[in-house]
Amino acid sequence: MLFFSELHENSAAETITAKTVEELIKIPHFSNLDEFYLDEIPDTFEIETFFEYIKKNKKTKFWFEFSDKIFVDYQLRLDRIVQEIVFSENHGYKPPWILYKGVSHRKELHELFFLHH
């Protein structure tokens, strides 16, 4: 099964809430998706919770592009996740593509994303 989700700037802020991650991982077939893409993600998205889910999911390719309007403290949270992905020696999951303004280690993240997919 292939799933491709795209939210555009006008709807993402209204659609993604603090409960979005919790609701997504409750969907029975969610773990069987081949691909999952979100665009213009606001800082209400619970990225740490979703990253823990990603590390348990061996099947799905995740693509995340965050809004340019996210706050600096949220960017720092994303930085910690990107660093964990880049500096981890073993990936038991498919490293996600994470794009946001000011992303560090973009080249390394890009290489890992395509190496594992």
Side-chain angles (χ1 to χ4, degrees):
M1 174 194 317
L2 178 64
F3 182 80
F4 186 79
S5 174
E6 185 171 0
L7 295 174
H8 294 283
E9 186 172 353
N10 296 339
S11 64
E14 299 166 6
T15 307
I16 296 177
T17 68
K19 297 259 184 206
T20 298
V21 170
E22 182 182 318
E23 296 300 319
L24 284 172
I25 60 180
K26 282 184 190 177
I27 299 170
H29 66 276
F30 191 70
S31 63
N32 294 322
L33 299 175
D34 293 322
E35 294 183 15
F36 184 73
Y37 174 80
L38 288 177
D39 186 31
E40 291 297 325
I41 305 168
D43 51 17
T44 54
F45 188 74
E46 287 295 327
I47 189 60
E48 290 89 356
T49 303
F50 204 79
F51 184 54
E52 290 305 314
Y53 172 80
I54 289 171
K55 290 191 283 187
K56 295 174 189 169
N57 181 309
K58 312 290 187 232
K59 179 175 173 61
T60 309
K61 181 185 342 180
F62 293 98
W63 306 61
F64 297 115
E65 296 188 24
F66 288 84
S67 169
D68 287 342
K69 298 174 186 171
I70 61 175
F71 290 108
V72 173
D73 62 329
Y74 195 83
Q75 289 178 359
L76 294 173
R77 291 165 56 191
L78 291 171
D79 285 344
R80 284 191 291 275
I81 290 171
V82 167
Q83 289 173 8
E84 180 178 335
I85 294 166
V86 169
F87 295 115
S88 178
E89 297 206 12
N90 297 311
H91 296 96
Y93 59 94
K94 293 182 177 186
W97 173 250
I98 299 175
L99 183 63
Y100 55 98
K101 189 175 183 176
V103 63
S104 59
H105 307 290
R106 184 176 181 158
K107 179 182 176 198
E108 296 92 335
L109 192 60
H110 183 267
E111 289 171 1
L112 284 169
F113 179 78
F114 287 103
L115 174 70
H116 289 272
H117 297 296

